[in-house]
Amino acid sequence: MKTENSTLRLEAFSDGVFAIAITLLIIEIKVPSHEDLKNQTLFQYIGHQWPKYFAYVLSFINIGIYWANHHYLFKFFKNTNHVFNLLNVFFLMAIAFLPYPAGILGEYIMEPEHTRTAVAFYAFAMCLPAMGYFMIWIYAINNKSIINIKLSSRFIKSLTLQYAISNLLYIVAFIISFFSAIASITLSVALTLVYLLPSKKPEYFE
Amino acid sequence: MKTENSTLRLEAFSDGVFAIAITLLIIEIKVPSHEDLKNQTLFQYIGHQWPKYFAYVLSFINIGIYWANHHYLFKFFKNTNHVFNLLNVFFLMAIAFLPYPAGILGEYIMEPEHTRTAVAFYAFAMCLPAMGYFMIWIYAINNKSIINIKLSSRFIKSLTLQYAISNLLYIVAFIISFFSAIASITLSVALTLVYLLPSKKPEYFE
Amino acid sequence: MKTENSTLRLEAFSDGVFAIAITLLIIEIKVPSHEDLKNQTLFQYIGHQWPKYFAYVLSFINIGIYWANHHYLFKFFKNTNHVFNLLNVFFLMAIAFLPYPAGILGEYIMEPEHTRTAVAFYAFAMCLPAMGYFMIWIYAINNKSIINIKLSSRFIKSLTLQYAISNLLYIVAFIISFFSAIASITLSVALTLVYLLPSKKPEYFE
Amino acid sequence: MKTENSTLRLEAFSDGVFAIAITLLIIEIKVPSHEDLKNQTLFQYIGHQWPKYFAYVLSFINIGIYWANHHYLFKFFKNTNHVFNLLNVFFLMAIAFLPYPAGILGEYIMEPEHTRTAVAFYAFAMCLPAMGYFMIWIYAINNKSIINIKLSSRFIKSLTLQYAISNLLYIVAFIISFFSAIASITLSVALTLVYLLPSKKPEYFE
């Protein structure tokens, strides 16, 4: 019989969802209709789409970072179980949802009467995978059957703290958005840039 | 030569279809056009979309459950053959179809004159993968070349009964929809919640 | 170093394209707009979409069959090379193209002034992957580095004949479409049904 | 514990993005609405779409070539690291972006007032994955932990030169587009055809 409860197929499925969600981001950037080009040249249209390119790049990098982190975390996992699968499904549901708030951000961030809502919705949507990811980690460290090596408690504490802070910052970005859209989106971008830095994680074995 | 008739590539292909169908659900939730925002703010628009979020979450979880169950079942299968491949194709066709009834559910469940049809169509569409899944199981237990270990007859009976009841309940949800949309969708949600519970399956070996 | 020229990644990539093309078929069946429901109920609309369900099922099964056949053929291949990769890309290009003629078939097959064109275009589009598949096979049997076992010449002749006839029948379906749309689509459906039958292939080893 | 930093999951994820981006190209070719067929037959409509088929084929082949080259390059890589993952994400972001300029090319290349912009934007978009690919290679040859065998310096120089020239030619195609759209797109097509030729790479081992 095949290795039961191995994480292999779970990882393959997750990678599929990551890959599709990240690639679907582009369909929010529409080829202009002839109607769209009545009052502007194609060149102007392409230029005016910059908020969409910004939303595309920001969201692509964020999904890419989640993919890399998911990849990193699953190195430590050898088994899965029903609850763990479900937590992963909830996490993926939050990832697969991102093209929608990303589309709204790209469409409405530069329209003054909608900026705040667009930014707040995007910040809110960014909280969801952060929470899902955190729950996956918390569940895993409390279920010895999931983890495949003895992780040092220092490593566990370090990652837990890091993910908790990350969640907190996403929530802060969401709350800030009610007061200042520009501050909120700046924080979102800053968070993304921080995650692009190589992290100095402590050794995970004792 | 490569291992003939192994289920590996079938599983990979199925996972691909699961991953794409589940991720495509989001494209039924459209970024509003400027036209859409003439009589409401973006905030109101996002709020009014809640039936779509409901349809998204319900369908995402259902496809996720099917993925997990498919994964669970294929642990017992070591070979495939022509008919088995076809049954799997029919099952995947039913899975890949779901974004359409999910989109209709999200769009029309809250419009009184369309609620019943939207719910009935969704309930009908939910019967299809249940039937396909059941057929895969029935075919497999009657073809010894598919199954790779000796499953206990108690286990086989238990799973068969469980899948038969599941099919029956989906059909009931469909029939009920002609009398009460709210009862039908409640049953669909309840079924989904039941499948989220960890199942207490008997041991599968003798 | 990793196994060079192995077909593994080629198969994985092909499976990805198969899975996406097959799942994208559903996006040609659109959720009705409120405009669409002005002169008909949602129930009527869903019923009137039957040509689209027909096109969906026909195309889904055809892509599924190609996937299964591709799977079957690649059992015999152990290496790939530049030309072989290209032939596979051309084949996949034809597969990935299918959602477009399938969409046109579903939309226009029941509109008398467009039926013939819709059917002819679909029949034409079905010729392309058949040709691509045939070229993959012909190239493979003429390049010993691709095939990983000694296939019996009887088996090679049998498959070559079978694929040649298949190509011919697709071309016939295309040509017939200029005279009778109904005869052409009937032939396409019949071909699909034939491929659903388990084939009695001769032993492939000597 | 699983093999750390292996490139396997990176390759699988990349293949997913390649497969989705390449298959999404078809959604830029829309099934005509009844409105579209008011002044032309379906046959004429399908014929008039040829610039879209051209953009589809050109882009499909280009993404296919990138997939094959990525595949080729990753044979030499055994490990990944944070920066390497990021470079790959940037490369994939450029690949996943291609359906948008491909859609614009197909829609506007034959409309005189938009030709130049459509071609220039496509040429610009083609520079991005070329740059990303080049950066992956340059980073890899400067990080011994990435490469898994001792590549001959002659091979490294040869590939570096080849990729540098390739980048240069894409930039030239972009610059030319400001002067002559036809010359630019001709160069793009010629580059694609050149990459279809089997390359005569020197031996990579010493």
Side-chain angles (χ1 to χ4, degrees):
Chain A
M1 223 189 60
K2 285 167 223 168
T3 324
E4 192 174 0
N5 291 330
S6 143
T7 61
L8 279 181
R9 212 178 152 190
L10 181 60
E11 289 179 66
F13 179 66
S14 304
D15 278 4
V17 173
F18 279 120
I20 299 153
I22 214 170
T23 318
L24 276 183
L25 289 169
I26 198 61
I27 70 171
E28 296 297 346
I29 310 184
K30 306 261 192 264
V31 172
S33 65
H34 287 76
E35 192 68 28
D36 291 326
L37 298 186
K38 274 206 172 132
N39 302 308
Q40 56 186 338
T41 64
L42 179 58
F43 184 80
Q44 286 168 329
Y45 178 90
I46 290 172
H48 290 159
Q49 297 291 83
W50 72 261
K52 297 201 173 182
Y53 309 142
F54 165 73
Y56 173 76
V57 170
L58 184 64
S59 306
F60 200 102
I61 293 175
N62 271 303
I63 297 180
I65 289 168
Y66 270 115
W67 170 78
N69 283 341
H70 194 264
H71 185 180
Y72 174 78
L73 217 53
F74 270 70
K75 275 189 320 187
F76 307 122
F77 303 159
K78 78 168 176 304
N79 287 321
T80 177
N81 64 29
H82 188 78
V83 175
F84 191 72
N85 276 341
L86 289 183
L87 289 176
N88 205 64
V89 165
F90 284 116
F91 168 67
L92 294 176
M93 188 156 62
I95 292 291
F97 188 71
L98 291 177
Y100 175 55
I104 285 184
L105 186 73
E107 187 74 34
Y108 291 109
I109 191 176
M110 290 308 289
E111 308 208 351
E113 79 261 46
H114 300 308
T115 303
R116 193 168 293 184
T117 306
V119 168
F121 188 53
Y122 190 79
F124 171 75
M126 287 302 293
C127 291
L128 301 176
M131 282 176 200
Y133 191 78
F134 193 41
M135 287 193 300
I136 286 173
W137 171 247
I138 294 297
Y139 182 80
I141 58 177
N142 288 297
N143 283 268
K144 304 219 162 163
S145 65
I146 305 280
I147 306 268
N148 73 345
I149 56 159
K150 182 88 184 76
L151 296 171
S152 75
S153 61
R154 200 177 145 226
F155 177 72
I156 291 181
K157 271 182 203 157
S158 159
L159 240 64
T160 307
L161 184 66
Q162 184 185 319
Y163 295 157
I165 291 175
S166 171
N167 268 269
L168 200 65
L169 288 172
Y170 279 119
I171 294 170
V172 167
F174 173 54
I175 294 172
I176 286 180
S177 70
F178 292 101
F179 304 99
S180 161
I182 191 80
S184 173
I185 198 71
T186 304
L187 181 51
S188 288
V189 172
L191 273 168
T192 305
L193 293 178
V194 166
Y195 291 126
L196 284 182
L197 297 175
S199 59
K200 275 166 210 70
K201 297 196 178 79
E203 293 299 327
Y204 45 78
F205 48 81
E206 295 198 56
Chain B
M1 223 188 60
K2 283 166 222 168
T3 325
E4 190 174 0
N5 291 330
S6 142
T7 62
L8 279 181
R9 211 177 153 190
L10 181 59
E11 289 179 66
F13 180 66
S14 304
D15 279 4
V17 173
F18 279 121
I20 299 153
I22 214 170
T23 317
L24 275 184
L25 290 168
I26 198 62
I27 71 171
E28 296 297 345
I29 310 184
K30 306 264 192 261
V31 172
S33 66
H34 287 76
E35 193 67 28
D36 291 325
L37 298 185
K38 272 204 173 135
N39 301 309
Q40 56 186 339
T41 64
L42 179 58
F43 184 79
Q44 287 169 327
Y45 177 90
I46 291 172
H48 290 160
Q49 297 290 84
W50 73 260
K52 297 201 173 183
Y53 309 142
F54 165 74
Y56 173 76
V57 170
L58 184 64
S59 306
F60 200 101
I61 293 175
N62 272 302
I63 297 180
I65 289 168
Y66 272 115
W67 169 78
N69 283 342
H70 194 264
H71 185 180
Y72 174 78
L73 218 53
F74 270 69
K75 275 190 320 187
F76 307 122
F77 303 159
K78 77 167 178 303
N79 286 321
T80 178
N81 64 29
H82 188 78
V83 175
F84 191 72
N85 276 341
L86 288 184
L87 289 176
N88 205 65
V89 164
F90 285 116
F91 169 67
L92 294 176
M93 188 157 61
I95 291 290
F97 188 71
L98 291 177
Y100 175 56
I104 284 183
L105 187 72
E107 186 74 33
Y108 291 109
I109 191 176
M110 291 308 289
E111 307 208 351
E113 81 260 45
H114 300 308
T115 304
R116 195 167 293 183
T117 306
V119 169
F121 188 53
Y122 190 79
F124 171 74
M126 287 303 293
C127 292
L128 300 176
M131 283 176 199
Y133 190 78
F134 193 40
M135 288 193 300
I136 286 174
W137 171 246
I138 294 297
Y139 183 80
I141 59 177
N142 288 297
N143 282 267
K144 303 220 159 162
S145 65
I146 306 280
I147 306 269
N148 72 345
I149 56 160
K150 182 89 186 74
L151 296 171
S152 75
S153 61
R154 201 177 143 227
F155 176 73
I156 290 181
K157 271 182 202 155
S158 160
L159 240 64
T160 307
L161 183 66
Q162 183 185 319
Y163 295 156
I165 292 175
S166 172
N167 268 269
L168 200 66
L169 288 173
Y170 279 119
I171 293 169
V172 167
F174 173 54
I175 294 172
I176 287 180
S177 69
F178 292 101
F179 305 98
S180 162
I182 190 81
S184 173
I185 197 71
T186 304
L187 181 52
S188 288
V189 171
L191 273 169
T192 305
L193 293 177
V194 165
Y195 291 126
L196 285 182
L197 297 175
S199 58
K200 275 166 210 70
K201 299 197 176 77
E203 293 299 325
Y204 44 78
F205 48 83
E206 295 198 56
Chain C
M1 222 188 63
K2 285 167 220 168
T3 325
E4 192 174 358
N5 290 332
S6 142
T7 62
L8 279 181
R9 212 179 152 188
L10 180 59
E11 289 180 65
F13 179 66
S14 304
D15 278 4
V17 172
F18 279 121
I20 299 154
I22 214 170
T23 317
L24 276 184
L25 289 169
I26 198 62
I27 70 172
E28 296 297 345
I29 309 184
K30 306 263 192 261
V31 172
S33 66
H34 288 76
E35 192 67 28
D36 290 326
L37 298 185
K38 273 204 171 135
N39 302 310
Q40 56 185 339
T41 64
L42 179 57
F43 184 78
Q44 288 168 325
Y45 177 89
I46 290 171
H48 290 159
Q49 297 291 84
W50 72 261
K52 297 202 175 183
Y53 310 142
F54 165 73
Y56 172 77
V57 170
L58 184 64
S59 306
F60 200 101
I61 293 175
N62 272 303
I63 297 180
I65 289 167
Y66 271 115
W67 170 78
N69 283 342
H70 194 264
H71 185 180
Y72 174 77
L73 217 54
F74 270 70
K75 274 189 321 187
F76 307 122
F77 303 159
K78 76 168 180 301
N79 286 322
T80 177
N81 64 29
H82 188 78
V83 174
F84 191 72
N85 276 341
L86 289 184
L87 289 175
N88 205 64
V89 165
F90 284 116
F91 169 67
L92 294 176
M93 188 156 60
I95 291 291
F97 188 72
L98 291 177
Y100 175 56
I104 284 184
L105 186 73
E107 186 75 34
Y108 290 109
I109 190 175
M110 290 308 289
E111 308 210 350
E113 80 260 47
H114 300 308
T115 303
R116 194 167 294 183
T117 306
V119 168
F121 188 52
Y122 190 78
F124 171 74
M126 287 303 293
C127 292
L128 300 176
M131 283 177 200
Y133 191 76
F134 193 41
M135 288 193 299
I136 286 173
W137 171 247
I138 294 297
Y139 182 80
I141 58 176
N142 288 296
N143 283 268
K144 303 218 160 164
S145 65
I146 305 281
I147 306 269
N148 72 345
I149 56 160
K150 182 89 184 73
L151 296 171
S152 75
S153 60
R154 200 178 144 226
F155 177 73
I156 290 181
K157 271 181 202 158
S158 159
L159 240 64
T160 306
L161 183 66
Q162 184 185 319
Y163 295 157
I165 291 174
S166 172
N167 268 268
L168 199 66
L169 288 171
Y170 279 120
I171 293 170
V172 166
F174 173 54
I175 293 172
I176 287 180
S177 69
F178 292 101
F179 305 98
S180 161
I182 191 80
S184 172
I185 197 71
T186 304
L187 180 52
S188 287
V189 172
L191 274 169
T192 305
L193 294 178
V194 165
Y195 291 127
L196 285 181
L197 298 175
S199 58
K200 274 165 209 72
K201 298 197 178 77
E203 294 299 326
Y204 44 79
F205 48 83
E206 297 198 56
Chain D
M1 220 188 62
K2 285 168 223 168
T3 325
E4 190 174 359
N5 290 331
S6 141
T7 61
L8 279 181
R9 211 178 154 189
L10 181 59
E11 288 179 66
F13 179 67
S14 304
D15 278 4
V17 172
F18 279 120
I20 300 153
I22 214 170
T23 318
L24 276 183
L25 289 169
I26 197 62
I27 70 172
E28 296 297 346
I29 309 185
K30 306 263 193 261
V31 172
S33 65
H34 287 76
E35 192 67 30
D36 290 326
L37 298 184
K38 275 206 170 132
N39 303 309
Q40 57 185 339
T41 65
L42 179 57
F43 184 79
Q44 287 169 326
Y45 177 90
I46 291 171
H48 291 159
Q49 297 291 83
W50 71 262
K52 296 201 174 181
Y53 309 142
F54 165 73
Y56 173 75
V57 171
L58 183 64
S59 306
F60 200 101
I61 293 175
N62 272 302
I63 297 180
I65 290 168
Y66 270 115
W67 169 77
N69 284 341
H70 194 264
H71 186 180
Y72 174 78
L73 217 52
F74 270 70
K75 276 190 319 186
F76 307 122
F77 302 159
K78 78 167 179 302
N79 286 321
T80 177
N81 64 28
H82 188 78
V83 175
F84 192 71
N85 277 340
L86 289 184
L87 289 175
N88 205 65
V89 165
F90 284 116
F91 169 68
L92 294 175
M93 188 156 61
I95 291 291
F97 188 71
L98 291 177
Y100 175 55
I104 285 184
L105 187 73
E107 186 75 33
Y108 291 110
I109 190 177
M110 290 308 289
E111 309 209 351
E113 79 262 45
H114 300 309
T115 303
R116 194 167 293 183
T117 306
V119 169
F121 187 53
Y122 191 78
F124 171 73
M126 287 302 294
C127 292
L128 299 176
M131 282 176 200
Y133 191 78
F134 192 42
M135 288 193 300
I136 286 174
W137 171 247
I138 294 297
Y139 182 80
I141 58 177
N142 289 296
N143 282 268
K144 305 218 161 165
S145 64
I146 305 280
I147 307 267
N148 73 345
I149 56 158
K150 183 87 185 75
L151 297 171
S152 75
S153 61
R154 200 177 144 227
F155 177 72
I156 291 181
K157 270 182 202 155
S158 159
L159 241 65
T160 306
L161 183 66
Q162 183 185 319
Y163 295 157
I165 291 174
S166 171
N167 267 269
L168 200 65
L169 288 172
Y170 279 119
I171 293 170
V172 167
F174 173 54
I175 293 172
I176 287 179
S177 69
F178 292 101
F179 304 99
S180 161
I182 191 79
S184 173
I185 198 71
T186 304
L187 181 52
S188 287
V189 172
L191 273 169
T192 304
L193 293 178
V194 166
Y195 290 128
L196 284 182
L197 298 175
S199 57
K200 275 166 210 69
K201 297 198 177 78
E203 294 298 326
Y204 45 77
F205 48 83
E206 297 199 55

